[in-house]
């Protein structure tokens, strides 16, 4: 099983939180952001280290700025 850092787990919780707030399934968010559902699941579990490009794609699909997404992750990490 991949190693989970606190920061990656918090970012994953932030993404999941925005996704749930918008009533989107993982599959729908993956489709909107142009990535595979299993990859998105790994990000949400904190098992994957998404690139800046993928953070931007996810933020855009969620209707938030990348900085808002990262800030939510930072708050959740505390």
């Amino acid at each position: 099983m991949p190693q989970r850092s606190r920061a990656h787990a918090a970012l994953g919780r932030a993404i999941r939180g925005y996704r749930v707030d918008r009533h989107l399934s993982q599959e729908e968010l993956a489709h909107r952001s142009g990535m595979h559902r299993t990859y998105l699941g790994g990000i949400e579990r904190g098992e994957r280290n998404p690139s800046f490009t993928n953070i931007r794609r996810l933020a855009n699909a969620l209707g938030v700025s990348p900085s808002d997404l990262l800030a939510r992750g930072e708050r959740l990490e505390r």
Side-chain angles (χ1 to χ4, degrees), residues 11 35 50-60 66 69-70:
L11 177 61
M35 59 185 65
S51 67
F52 179 66
T53 298
N54 283 337
I55 290 170
R56 290 184 57 165
R57 291 164 73 186
L58 285 165
N60 183 57
L69 183 58
L70 294 172

Side-chain angles (χ1 to χ4, degrees), residues 21-69:
D21 290 348
R22 285 151 178 74
H23 308 285
L24 297 173
S25 66
Q26 271 188 353
E27 188 171 2
E28 180 60 24
L29 178 57
H31 175 73
R32 290 182 183 194
S33 59
M35 59 185 65
H36 197 277
R37 183 193 54 77
T38 58
Y39 179 71
L40 174 59
I43 293 172
E44 286 191 358
R45 289 187 303 275
E47 299 169 354
R48 298 282 187 163
N49 183 11
S51 67
F52 179 66
T53 298
N54 283 337
I55 290 170
R56 290 184 57 165
R57 291 164 73 186
L58 285 165
N60 183 57
L62 291 166
V64 299
S65 69
S67 60
D68 286 341
L69 183 58

